[in-house]
Amino acid sequence: MRARGDAAAAAAAAAPHVSIILPVHNAEPWLNECLESVLQQDFEGSMELSVFNDASKDKSMTIIEKWKVKLEGSGIPVVIGGHASPSPRGVGYSKNQAIAQSSGSYLCFLDSDDVMMPQRVRLQLEAAARHPTSIIGCQVRREPPDSTERYTRWINQLAADQLLTQVFTSNGPTVIMPTWFCSRAWFSHVGPFDEGGQGVPEDLLFFYNHLRKGGGVVRVDQSLLLYRYHPNAATHSVLETTIWTHRVRFLEERVLPHWAAFTIWNAGRQGRRLYRSLTAGTRRKVIAFCDVDENKIRKGFYCHEDSQERPKPRVPILHFRAARPPFVICVKLDLTGGAFEDNLRSLHLQEGRDFLHFS
């Protein structure tokens, strides 16, 4: 009995504290730099790398095997899994497999085309220990630097409370998936990732489930990841219409039941699209559109021509100063030279309670 207890204690002591979760599919151009960044971590605790090769057809496996020797020589065990089917099974499947074959108490997610800064594991582990039911993210440096400038600003500059209030925007999770770090216990409580494969926003679906279960969102305010932009990235395979549908349903689930009535800020294409995407019951809560465009305001109303209701719904279009909160805002941030943001600030509203961003 005692021997078994000693063996269990020894196994627990031998288990790594942090598992770096690395799905790989045809990552040859970036893999050396990515794996070098694992070796360069300044974290002094126990750490392992868990790689899952999702049917790569390039030299990814050769590079991984070479780095396995180098990493294990430096005290970082490497677990390698994978399959050689004709087609990849997708990022969700690969991440789930990499997690299943790993054994760390904490999970540090890494994309094969990205590069970690040396302090990433150490600083995110400190934050995760303080916030055991949160997803921990970090600020990023984009490569090339001038790609997705507005998105990168949004990632890096959201205030702490906006990490929870801006979860409905088209940008997706308020801390981006390649920066995620969390405890294995919390991942098991929320997960696993959806394994639908190409075209499924597995990170967004996991993030929504995390929020449903009361999870928090925390960002380490240091740039701990070089976040690469290139045309082959898996995110490009997800249709905008798919993400739109998930976002609308999540908005209807989480916020709109608590509002007796609301105004859609934007009488243009995006605002009307949101209105048409809502369920009939939620559409009836829309008391107005609001805008600054005098031509739209002069028109006086929006008629939902596709509605089966008789008479067809006619929703007033008002100047934003004449409209009543709460607002669902369908205006893209950071695109009007500050005019929209100035208008919103002039109303002295509280984000989350009086308005939320959807665009």
Side-chain angles (χ1 to χ4, degrees):
M1 187 74 186
R2 185 170 171 180
R4 269 205 304 275
D6 289 349
H17 203 45
V18 177
S19 296
I20 296 174
I21 303 302
L22 181 63
V24 172
H25 174 68
N26 292 343
E28 182 183 345
W30 313 286
L31 208 41
N32 278 307
E33 202 178 352
C34 174
L35 293 170
E36 173 74 34
S37 77
V38 175
L39 183 63
Q40 295 301 323
Q41 291 302 296
D42 66 13
F43 174 58
E44 293 181 351
S46 58
M47 181 172 74
E48 71 174 357
L49 174 66
S50 178
V51 183
F52 190 84
N53 175 35
D54 190 18
S56 294
K57 299 291 187 280
D58 62 0
K59 294 190 174 72
S60 290
M61 270 311 297
T62 305
I63 296 169
I64 290 163
E65 293 290 357
K66 179 191 78 177
W67 274 96
K68 176 179 166 71
V69 175
K70 200 178 288 191
L71 288 162
E72 292 192 335
S74 298
I76 302 170
V78 179
V79 185
I80 301 173
H83 68 97
S85 306
S87 331
R89 295 183 189 166
V91 184
Y93 174 81
S94 301
K95 282 189 283 216
N96 287 338
Q97 292 298 311
I99 291 163
Q101 70 188 20
S102 72
S103 51
S105 304
Y106 289 88
L107 307 175
C108 174
F109 292 91
L110 177 62
D111 282 1
S112 57
D113 51 356
D114 294 334
V115 179
M116 298 192 287
M117 299 302 108
Q119 66 274 40
R120 181 189 172 190
V121 169
R122 174 174 56 83
L123 293 181
Q124 287 195 298
L125 176 61
E126 289 171 6
R130 291 194 303 271
H131 304 278
T133 61
S134 289
I135 290 175
I136 312 299
C138 65
Q139 294 175 324
V140 301
R141 181 160 59 86
R142 200 60 152 142
E143 180 63 37
D146 57 352
S147 59
T148 68
E149 287 180 272
R150 285 177 55 248
Y151 178 51
T152 306
R153 253 196 315 276
W154 182 82
I155 292 168
N156 288 336
Q157 294 179 9
L158 285 174
D161 57 336
Q162 291 176 318
L163 297 174
L164 287 175
T165 58
Q166 293 206 11
V167 298
F168 304 99
T169 77
S170 59
N171 289 329
T174 48
V175 289
I176 58 166
M177 206 280 138
T179 71
W180 287 5
F181 192 111
C182 67
S183 74
R184 178 181 296 273
W186 184 252
F187 175 85
S188 301
H189 180 62
V190 175
F193 289 106
D194 188 292
E195 296 187 358
Q198 191 172 27
V200 172
E202 86 292 331
D203 56 343
L204 184 66
L205 298 180
F206 185 94
F207 189 67
Y208 284 172
N209 280 336
H210 164 76
L211 295 172
R212 286 183 182 107
K213 290 178 184 275
V217 185
V218 173
R219 187 185 67 220
V220 175
D221 282 338
Q222 290 191 41
S223 179
L224 302 180
L225 190 79
L226 180 73
Y227 179 39
R228 221 182 289 272
Y229 177 87
H230 58 88
N232 301 324
T235 48
H236 299 313
S237 71
V238 184
L239 294 175
E240 186 274 341
T241 50
T242 301
I243 293 174
W244 175 274
T245 301
H246 287 301
R247 289 170 53 218
V248 172
R249 294 299 157 251
F250 195 60
L251 177 69
E252 289 197 295
E253 172 195 328
R254 300 287 291 181
V255 175
L256 301 183
H258 306 292
W259 288 356
F262 64 95
T263 300
I264 295 176
W265 190 317
N266 186 352
R269 189 167 57 87
Q270 283 292 90
R272 297 195 306 269
R273 182 187 181 194
L274 173 61
Y275 177 84
R276 292 192 303 269
S277 301
L278 298 170
T279 59
T282 307
R283 276 199 300 269
R284 284 192 280 273
K285 291 184 173 187
V286 179
I287 51 172
F289 289 90
C290 74
D291 214 292
V292 292
D293 186 326
E294 292 298 338
N295 292 326
K296 294 189 182 95
I297 294 164
R298 263 197 303 273
K299 186 179 175 187
F301 64 88
Y302 164 70
C303 181
H304 184 209
E305 296 291 352
D306 296 334
S307 175
Q308 302 303 308
E309 293 181 49
R310 295 295 180 271
K312 292 182 178 179
R314 289 157 65 101
V315 184
I317 301 174
L318 308 173
H319 189 276
F320 77 90
R321 292 202 183 282
R324 201 169 82 220
F327 298 102
V328 177
I329 296 175
C330 294
V331 178
K332 289 277 187 195
L333 295 170
D334 204 11
L335 270 185
T336 60
F340 163 72
E341 287 80 0
D342 288 345
N343 288 337
L344 183 59
R345 269 193 298 272
S346 74
L347 298 179
H348 306 292
L349 302 173
Q350 181 181 319
E351 186 168 357
R353 184 193 67 191
D354 302 319
F355 71 92
L356 58 83
H357 291 284
F358 189 75
S359 278

